[in-house]
Amino acid sequence: LAGVLFPGASPESYPLGEPVPVWVEPVQSDRTRVPFGYYDLPGIGNCAAAKSTEGGDSRPPRKSLGSRLAGGHGALPAPYGLVAGRDLPCATVCATELGGKDLKWMRRLVGRQYRVHLLLDQLPVLMRHGELSYAVRGVPLGFRAPPSFTGGTEDEYFLYNHLRLEVGYRDDPDEAGSVRIVSFAAHPV
């Protein structure tokens, strides 16, 4: 019935051991309405070769009714490879150095609180805080620390260069040996 009432909202099953594609939407901020492509960001554009779906489905993700109503932007394959039902160790996706204009631009993006928006099986990535019981959509590029935090004389900027992705899933009752994605969260470091 849900497939009839909400086109594109039916759950998808992933066989155990198969790749699960992760998608990245344009990087946005609530403080300014100018979006940027993920692979256009400083340093990340150098990692465009790392962009892949790890052999998974290369079709764009299905859009839910909510993303259609919100005028969802085009999603691109993210450089992260996930496998259904399997814990994966930490892996380097790309290594690059920032300097000059790129560093200034990234500092400006962090100051304007830009966030990376990932999708997994139509679920947006959430950043959760268990103790305070809240969640926000997307992952910030970094944060600005005041002198009282760093002991310096002016604000310092820090970039998140590591993501720990957590995917919640359950066994598919209709297909043995398959799972359904039920949650998607990230913890930046």
Side-chain angles (χ1 to χ4, degrees), residues 81-83 86-91:
L82 301 179
V83 178
R86 191 177 301 159
D87 284 339
L88 297 176
C90 184

Side-chain angles (χ1 to χ4, degrees), residues 50-164:
K51 175 175 61 171
S52 78
T53 58
E54 295 294 320
D57 195 350
S58 61
R59 292 175 292 160
R62 299 174 298 145
K63 286 188 176 182
S64 65
L65 180 61
S67 66
R68 289 174 195 268
L69 292 174
H73 297 85
L76 297 172
Y80 311 110
L82 301 179
V83 178
R86 191 177 301 159
D87 284 339
L88 297 176
C90 184
T92 301
V93 173
C94 176
T96 186
E97 290 186 28
L98 293 178
K101 290 180 183 180
D102 287 343
L103 190 58
K104 262 187 185 173
W105 187 27
M106 194 59 108
R107 189 175 286 155
R108 201 171 300 132
L109 292 173
V110 169
R112 292 181 181 155
Q113 300 175 354
Y114 273 84
R115 302 179 78 80
V116 176
H117 297 282
L118 300 172
L119 293 173
L120 180 71
D121 194 33
Q122 298 185 58
L123 292 175
V125 69
L126 297 178
M127 202 173 81
R128 296 184 179 143
H129 193 290
E131 293 174 13
L132 299 178
S133 191
Y134 77 89
V136 292
R137 186 175 183 264
V139 179
L141 292 174
F143 66 96
R144 181 174 58 195
S148 61
F149 179 77
T150 63
T153 57
E154 57 187 40
D155 289 348
E156 289 188 40
Y157 293 81
F158 295 87
L159 296 176
Y160 291 122
N161 61 4
H162 179 86
L163 284 179
R164 189 177 86 221

Side-chain angles (χ1 to χ4, degrees), residues 24-29 34-39 41 44 109 114-117 139 141:
V24 63
E25 293 183 318
V27 180
Q28 297 177 336
S29 170
V34 180
F36 293 100
Y38 178 75
Y39 292 104
L41 294 178
I44 296 175
L109 292 173
Y114 273 84
R115 302 179 78 80
V116 176
H117 297 282
V139 179
L141 292 174

